[in-house]
Amino acid sequence: MLKERYFKAFFVYGGCNLVLAASAAAICAYVAPAAAGSGIPEVKAYLNGVDAYSILAPSTLFVKIFGSILGVSAGFVLGKEGPMVHTGACIANLLGQGGSRKYHLTCNWLRYFKNDRDRRDLITCGSAAGVAAAFRAPVGGVLFALEEAASWWRSALLWRTFFTTAVVAVVLRGLIEFCRSGKCGLFGQGGLIMFDLSSTIATYSTPDLIAIIVLGIIGGIFGGLFNFLLDKILRVYSIINERGAPFKILLTITISIVTSMCSYGLPWLAACTPCPADAVEQCPTISRSGNYKNFQCPQGYYNDLASLFFNTNDDAIRNLFSNGTANEFRMSSLFIFFTAIYCLGLVTYGVAVPSGLFIPVILAGATYGRIVGTLLGSISDLDPGLFALLGAASFLGGTMRMTVSVCVILLELTNDLPMLPLVMLVLLISKTIADNFNKGVYDQIVVMKGFPYMEAHAEPYMRHLVAGDVVSGPLITFSGVEKVGNIVHALRITGHNGFPVVDEPPITETPELVGLVTRSHLLVLLNSKNFMKGQVKTSGSFVLRRFGAFDFAKPGSGKGLKIEDLDFTDEEMDMYVDLHPITNTSPYTVVETMSLAKAAILFRELGLRHLLVVPKTPDRPPIVGILTRHDFMPEHIHSLFPNLNPHKYHSASMAG
């Protein structure tokens, strides 16, 4: 560019971006397709009880780390914050299952975590660590895990996530101190977000509050529109991505070319601006990051649009947040930049590259915040840099629908505590406005990916039904001492993971419910082949002698026994096995006449997988059926009761 070879410069710039983008898409499409996107919806679904295929596998972790490095380097309008949350969850999952046997990374002392609750807690800590690392916001990380990620929370988890994020903060601080001398490139200088606005004096009056309310309303409208358009674009992308890996790579390459053309072409629309006489840093900028990019301008001038496009995303945000720079950016340049970032942010999320939404949203919000600050400069005394901060908060509130965690993250990022009331106000306004249009962006993606996510509240139409209404399918029960052939047949013909155990005469006088036995425990018991010839109840001591506690522990992803792996002779199939020692004798039960709404809240609050439904009258079989997550889904209820329209009740409750 210095030699005015502009087309050659574009081909070098666009070519580098293309190679990096294609590399990111290739490893994502062929090695771990689950690593595409931000990963926050997947982590959120897992912590709700949905264990989707390979979302926390070691291969996903590998692709998430390197794919996100390549994606950010390729100049895409995306952030590394969502992928860092997913990365933290993947690392926690790897530790929670004692490492990976497939990759020979095992550790015996980590077996302590081999149960569902501890692994879930560990993954919650991992997601908090990801936010703390991405934003240098340890308290924000804890609040993010509480507000957005976790479905179940308990007091012990609070100090555990706090301890995790404190360790993250200490390690980060040590690395930044080490890198301050320039040993690590941009890391420690401009590569990890930190915008110190504490030097700005924020005094605000009534006219400022009017300006902030306007900003909150704009953020809510733009946020609702962003989520609406993103939903439509992702549905189109899913049709393209379903055609195979080559199409995923082709789509990514197309978006890379469009991004390169926008970021290289649009600065030509901006006029050159003379360097300010009182500029704190060198103008035009010589190094890789700075406020005053030369681009095609003569000496002593800078291109304000290039200063936003040709910086790291962190530096672009820092430029927008900077105080005392009211005249640094022209209005036309800010409008062009906002339109480009808004549109590129929409079309980039959904390609086969690990990508976060935080950075595009903060960038777009900061840009229109600065525009509003400049337009309302006559009635407001606030610096345009502070308006940029409030704009970022309003757009985050409008898209993510998070309030407390975003508020604390922004305050930790900017070190600007006097802005707390204004940030709170703008977040609440934008969230309230946007909630009238649609759900938060991550909730929308969870629905679109088909995860059976259980909301914190029961849907209104559930009040019209009872637990016995939605129990579906033939109920398969086992006797306390069951024939091996019956168990093997039931496991082969069904995908159920839990089976009620019912004792019948001659073991008891009348049929009675013993409890629930899980598929994984049955497989461990069958694999041992410790069978009996007669239908006799044992003392259960053989279980204590033959098995250790870890034999029944939850296996790692895809490592558990499968019924297809087991073979039995005809003689073994006619033998019996005592299920009493491995049966959970205190399962959660509800009466069949219990309100489905109450049953749904109980199911979610306790983090259950199975809820047994028992009869109200004593002269019937001791169990009516089992409620699983599937039975609470609107699609299932609508299939059973076509006349009961869930959406009608939902819209009525929204109107109410």
Side-chain angles (χ1 to χ4, degrees):
M1 285 201 75
L2 293 173
K3 295 177 182 175
E4 297 187 2
R5 296 182 193 164
Y6 297 123
F7 284 105
K8 195 172 182 181
F10 171 71
F11 284 116
V12 171
Y13 170 68
C16 289
N17 286 350
L18 194 67
V19 170
L20 290 163
S23 306
I27 62 169
C28 194
Y30 287 108
V31 180
S38 80
I40 292 176
E42 285 85 350
V43 173
K44 192 173 172 175
Y46 181 90
L47 292 175
N48 189 260
V50 183
D51 196 356
Y53 178 70
S54 79
I55 57 172
L56 298 174
S59 57
T60 306
L61 172 62
F62 170 81
V63 173
K64 207 79 193 182
I65 293 170
F66 291 99
S68 121
I69 291 169
L70 291 166
V72 172
S73 308
F76 280 125
V77 180
L78 51 82
K80 57 193 177 297
E81 290 66 33
M84 285 182 86
V85 172
H86 197 176
T87 300
C90 287
I91 293 168
N93 181 59
L94 200 62
L95 295 172
Q97 61 191 37
S100 169
R101 263 182 267 166
K102 184 179 176 183
Y103 299 101
H104 306 292
L105 301 168
T106 53
C107 190
N108 286 338
W109 64 268
L110 287 169
R111 292 191 304 181
Y112 168 76
F113 297 107
K114 283 214 165 193
N115 67 67
D116 277 326
R117 192 183 72 175
D118 285 332
R119 186 177 297 182
R120 191 174 65 222
D121 287 358
L122 204 61
I123 287 165
T124 307
C125 292
S127 63
V131 174
F135 290 111
R136 298 193 207 173
V139 180
V142 175
L143 292 171
F144 173 84
L146 169 61
E147 185 179 4
E148 185 67 11
S151 292
W152 301 288
W153 196 263
R154 55 202 182 95
S155 55
L157 196 52
L158 188 65
W159 72 260
R160 285 176 182 173
T161 48
F162 190 65
F163 171 77
T164 310
T165 56
V167 172
V168 169
V170 170
V171 172
L172 256 179
R173 181 60 59 193
L175 286 169
I176 289 167
E177 288 300 322
F178 173 75
C179 291
R180 195 149 275 172
S181 57
K183 298 174 188 171
C184 318
L186 290 175
F187 182 76
Q189 297 174 13
L192 198 73
I193 314 173
M194 185 64 186
F195 319 113
D196 194 346
L197 299 180
S198 56
S199 59
T200 312
I201 299 164
T203 54
Y204 37 88
S205 55
T206 308
D208 296 328
L209 292 176
I210 294 167
I212 283 147
I213 291 167
V214 169
L215 206 51
I217 293 167
I218 293 169
I221 294 167
F222 277 149
L225 180 64
F226 187 90
N227 290 4
F228 172 77
L229 294 173
L230 188 66
D231 187 58
K232 300 296 180 194
I233 289 167
L234 289 179
R235 289 181 192 280
V236 174
Y237 281 6
S238 65
I239 297 166
I240 299 168
N241 290 337
E242 279 168 10
R243 300 184 68 178
F247 285 89
K248 290 182 180 181
I249 297 168
L250 194 63
L251 177 63
T252 309
I253 287 172
T254 306
I255 300 300
S256 173
I257 293 167
V258 170
T259 305
S260 296
M261 288 170 70
C262 286
S263 55
Y264 187 87
L266 291 176
W268 292 90
L269 301 175
C272 293
T273 309
C275 285
D278 56 346
V280 178
E281 52 181 272
Q282 192 172 12
C283 180
T285 303
I286 304 297
S287 63
R288 288 172 292 182
S289 63
N291 272 30
Y292 306 106
K293 288 283 183 181
N294 184 231
F295 201 61
Q296 87 295 7
C297 293
Q299 192 60 33
Y301 288 79
Y302 72 96
N303 186 316
D304 57 348
L305 201 48
S307 301
L308 294 171
F309 273 118
F310 283 94
N311 262 319
T312 63
N313 289 332
D314 299 354
D315 274 328
I317 295 169
R318 193 175 289 108
N319 290 355
L320 290 165
F321 280 7
S322 58
N323 59 310
T325 54
N327 301 316
E328 187 180 317
F329 301 103
R330 295 169 188 262
M331 287 292 284
S332 57
S333 299
L334 290 172
F335 272 112
I336 293 168
F337 186 69
F338 169 70
T339 308
I341 293 297
Y342 194 91
C343 297
L344 289 173
L346 282 168
V347 298
T348 305
Y349 192 87
V351 299
V353 173
S355 55
L357 279 171
F358 271 101
I359 288 296
V361 167
I362 291 174
L363 262 176
T367 309
Y368 76 67
R370 206 170 174 99
I371 292 170
V372 170
T374 308
L375 290 173
L376 300 180
S378 57
I379 66 161
S380 173
D381 297 329
L382 285 179
D383 190 273
L386 294 179
F387 267 106
L389 167 64
L390 294 168
S394 73
F395 202 22
L396 282 168
T399 50
M400 313 282 180
R401 313 293 158 85
M402 293 183 278
T403 49
V404 183
S405 51
V406 165
C407 182
V408 173
I409 286 169
L410 286 172
L411 292 177
E412 288 186 279
L413 268 177
T414 56
N415 195 22
D416 194 4
L417 200 57
M419 291 296 285
L420 174 63
L422 300 186
V423 173
M424 289 169 70
L425 182 65
V426 84
L427 275 167
L428 287 168
I429 293 169
S430 63
K431 181 190 184 310
T432 306
I433 296 289
D435 277 339
N436 292 310
F437 300 117
N438 44 36
K439 288 183 170 183
V441 64
Y442 297 131
D443 293 316
Q444 282 191 176
I445 295 165
V446 163
V447 171
M448 201 176 64
K449 291 201 169 187
F451 296 132
Y453 187 86
M454 287 201 70
E455 298 289 350
H457 56 86
E459 296 293 347
Y461 57 82
M462 289 183 178
R463 297 181 202 140
H464 303 266
L465 301 168
V466 294
D469 291 337
V470 297
V471 172
S472 61
L475 180 66
I476 296 176
T477 62
F478 293 138
S479 299
V481 181
E482 185 60 84
K483 198 174 183 180
V484 171
N486 292 347
I487 298 174
V488 171
H489 179 67
L491 293 178
R492 281 181 179 157
I493 65 165
T494 71
H496 301 336
N497 283 302
F499 302 89
V501 177
V502 178
D503 270 347
E504 294 178 345
I507 296 174
T508 56
E509 290 180 12
T510 56
E512 64 178 51
L513 178 65
V514 179
L516 184 82
V517 65
T518 61
R519 173 183 283 265
S520 58
H521 288 188
L522 283 170
L523 289 170
V524 172
L525 194 62
L526 291 174
N527 191 41
S528 73
K529 300 203 172 181
N530 199 349
F531 306 141
M532 307 174 296
K533 292 207 185 312
Q535 194 171 3
V536 188
K537 185 176 178 180
T538 65
S539 65
S541 59
F542 80 93
V543 171
L544 297 174
R545 288 199 308 273
R546 188 170 183 105
F547 298 104
F550 291 113
D551 292 318
F552 290 106
K554 182 179 168 73
S557 309
K559 295 191 190 112
L561 282 168
K562 293 181 175 62
I563 189 64
E564 294 80 15
D565 303 335
L566 307 181
D567 288 316
F568 302 97
T569 63
D570 291 341
E571 185 185 355
E572 285 170 337
M573 294 286 264
D574 287 330
M575 295 176 81
Y576 290 86
V577 62
D578 188 0
L579 301 181
H580 289 95
I582 63 162
T583 300
N584 172 13
T585 53
S586 56
Y588 285 95
T589 60
V590 294
V591 182
E592 60 183 334
T593 52
M594 185 182 197
S595 160
L596 187 63
K598 281 189 178 179
I601 291 167
L602 180 73
F603 192 92
R604 187 189 193 273
E605 291 297 319
L606 295 172
L608 304 180
R609 291 189 71 192
H610 306 98
L611 185 60
L612 304 189
V613 182
V614 295
K616 191 173 185 183
T617 51
D619 54 341
R620 291 166 55 199
I623 180 156
V624 176
I626 296 184
L627 288 173
T628 62
R629 178 178 292 270
H630 164 74
D631 297 311
F632 293 105
M633 291 297 114
E635 298 80 13
H636 170 69
I637 295 170
H638 188 56
S639 69
L640 293 175
F641 303 98
N643 296 330
L644 180 75
N645 186 351
H647 302 292
K648 181 182 76 174
Y649 283 104
H650 180 68
S651 57
S653 72
M654 289 287 282

